[in-house]
Amino acid sequence: MKIDYDDMDLSIIKEAAQIIRNGGIVAFPTETVYGLGANALDQESVKKIYLAKGRPSDNPLIVHISSIEELYPLVESIKLKAKILMDLFWPGPLTLIFPKSKIIPDSITAGLSTVAVRMPDNKIARELIKYSGVPIAAPSANISGSPSPTKAEHVIKDLNGKIDMILDGGSVRVGLESTVLDVTRDTPVILRPGGITKEMLEKAIGEVLIDSAIISEKEFVDTPMAPGMKYKHYSPKAKLVIVEGEINKVIEKINSLAKENKEQKLKVGIMATEQTRENYQADLILSVGDRDKAETIAAKLFDTLRAFDEAGIDIIFSESFSYEEIGFAIMNRLKKAAGYNILRV
Ligand code: AMP
Ligand code: MG
């Protein structure tokens, strides 16, 4: 059932809230990606999320709230820098890490002493949390390791039959998961880049660091700060290769790779942009957005990766994009999706 933003059918949201209260799991839209939610205060409900997704139990979940008051029982303390960021960016795509209170079950935090909390900027999500009357633990509503869901159709594809309900709110706005910021330390650290950029955070609270695992470009790190970092993420079934460099050289290289792979009888896909799509030859050429408008690429990245799989493509060659602002998060997801398979020309 599709729910219109302006004309929300409250009875459907209340039905979903009842499922959450009764210990079930519900997929719902947020502005970042679709989430798979359960009562965050109930260990047994939370376990159902891990089971449905096939998510490793040492990858902690984000707890979603609908108002600031709901934060206080969940955390031991809130630093001034966190308060400033909450005022500025909540509701919105910023997750903050706090020392957890005793009511947070260990299954959510994978045994950590901290808890990740966010207030989503999506009316359906916030109404669902409000009517549930409990905070909602929610990871992305996809099978663990696959591209995150940005449409209800993606959730159906991955989780149909495994969950109790899906609220369809259409395509999400941002398209990439929230920025995760550890504010328990004196100098806050970005554990996952997202729509709220380092520059935006630094303007508000001064120096912000980026976790070394994000910069080092290695898939497996020994002791990742954000436990989820060590896992395969966002990957299409097709092999994905990123070609990075000056755009004309990239086009030339991708076309020659496409030809070689075609000769090997592989079905070849190319992830291009509005500006470059006309320059390619392959079985499927998809534009992921406008090179000069990074937010269009963020919004379509996961949907485009999934579209190659839908078409049965064996190997995808992708252009590389700007690292500026939200581009940093786009390239973080794209590189992970490619398993750091990057050709520099
Ligand atoms: P997902 O909900 O699939 O977007 O994943 C949530 C991510 O939030 C995890 O993979 C972790 O990287 C991060 N996260 C959640 N809780 C914590 C925590 N207590 N400390 C550090 N990172 C966390
Ligand atoms: Mg996820």
Side-chain angles (χ1 to χ4, degrees), residues 113-186:
S113 60
T114 52
V115 62
V117 185
R118 176 167 107 81
M119 190 196 295
D121 179 26
N122 174 293
K123 211 169 154 191
I124 298 173
R126 283 217 309 283
E127 296 283 294
L128 174 66
I129 301 163
K130 192 176 91 186
Y131 285 104
S132 297
V134 289
I136 293 186
S140 49
N142 55 320
I143 291 289
S144 211
S146 72
S148 299
T150 56
K151 291 175 178 169
E153 289 80 0
H154 299 159
V155 183
I156 294 169
K157 179 93 193 159
D158 277 20
L159 298 175
N160 201 20
K162 295 184 174 173
I163 63 179
D164 298 304
M165 190 170 177
I166 301 172
L167 293 175
D168 184 350
S171 288
V172 301
R173 178 168 60 83
V174 181
L176 297 180
E177 302 81 354
S178 58
T179 303
V180 178
L181 185 72
D182 184 351
V183 272
T184 64
R185 287 177 278 179
D186 288 334

Side-chain angles (χ1 to χ4, degrees), residues 94-112:
L94 177 66
T95 296
L96 298 172
I97 308 287
F98 299 94
K100 83 176 187 79
S101 76
K102 291 194 176 58
I103 67 167
I104 301 285
D106 282 340
S107 53
I108 288 189
T109 63
L112 295 171

Side-chain angles (χ1 to χ4, degrees), residues 42-301:
D42 180 48
Q43 181 108 355
E44 291 309 310
S45 308
V46 169
K47 279 188 188 155
K48 292 181 188 170
I49 294 179
Y50 283 92
L51 195 67
K53 279 182 60 88
R55 183 176 175 105
S57 60
D58 63 350
N59 192 356
L61 307 180
I62 295 169
V63 177
H64 294 73
I65 56 173
S66 66
S67 73
I68 296 280
E69 291 70 49
E70 294 165 23
L71 176 69
Y72 305 132
L74 309 180
V75 302
E76 280 293 307
S77 58
I78 305 169
K79 288 198 171 163
L80 179 63
K81 283 179 186 173
K83 284 207 177 91
I84 294 169
L85 296 174
M86 284 152 53
D87 276 347
L88 269 175
F89 298 112
W90 279 8
L94 177 66
T95 296
L96 298 172
I97 308 287
F98 299 94
K100 83 176 187 79
S101 76
K102 291 194 176 58
I103 67 167
I104 301 285
D106 282 340
S107 53
I108 288 189
T109 63
L112 295 171
S113 60
T114 52
V115 62
V117 185
R118 176 167 107 81
M119 190 196 295
D121 179 26
N122 174 293
K123 211 169 154 191
I124 298 173
R126 283 217 309 283
E127 296 283 294
L128 174 66
I129 301 163
K130 192 176 91 186
Y131 285 104
S132 297
V134 289
I136 293 186
S140 49
N142 55 320
I143 291 289
S144 211
S146 72
S148 299
T150 56
K151 291 175 178 169
E153 289 80 0
H154 299 159
V155 183
I156 294 169
K157 179 93 193 159
D158 277 20
L159 298 175
N160 201 20
K162 295 184 174 173
I163 63 179
D164 298 304
M165 190 170 177
I166 301 172
L167 293 175
D168 184 350
S171 288
V172 301
R173 178 168 60 83
V174 181
L176 297 180
E177 302 81 354
S178 58
T179 303
V180 178
L181 185 72
D182 184 351
V183 272
T184 64
R185 287 177 278 179
D186 288 334
T187 307
V189 182
I190 294 176
L191 303 181
R192 176 173 74 185
I196 306 293
T197 63
K198 181 172 189 275
E199 293 73 24
M200 291 159 83
L201 295 167
E202 288 192 323
K203 218 171 149 193
I205 55 165
E207 191 188 9
V208 167
L209 304 172
I210 298 180
D211 188 77
S212 56
I214 298 170
I215 302 165
S216 74
E217 296 193 0
K218 286 202 195 79
E219 177 136 27
F220 296 99
V221 280
D222 295 335
T223 47
M225 292 306 303
M229 281 179 185
K230 69 181 177 191
Y231 293 107
K232 184 170 175 259
H233 249 104
Y234 321 115
S235 302
K237 293 189 187 78
K239 184 178 175 189
L240 172 62
V241 180
I242 303 168
V243 183
E244 200 164 68
E246 195 269 311
I247 192 65
N248 289 316
K249 284 194 185 146
V250 167
I251 293 169
E252 197 181 315
K253 183 72 184 172
I254 288 181
N255 271 330
S256 82
L257 288 166
K259 192 159 169 259
E260 274 170 37
N261 281 271
K262 186 82 202 151
E263 280 161 13
Q264 313 268 322
K265 303 270 177 290
L266 291 178
K267 231 178 141 184
V268 180
I270 295 177
M271 191 150 83
T273 48
E274 289 306 306
Q275 286 86 348
T276 57
R277 61 194 301 171
E278 305 293 336
N279 298 290
Y280 292 111
Q281 277 188 321
D283 294 299
L284 183 63
I285 301 151
L286 294 175
S287 165
V288 67
D290 184 332
R291 294 193 78 77
D292 300 327
K293 295 189 191 114
E295 66 283 2
T296 63
I297 297 175
K300 263 180 74 180
L301 180 67

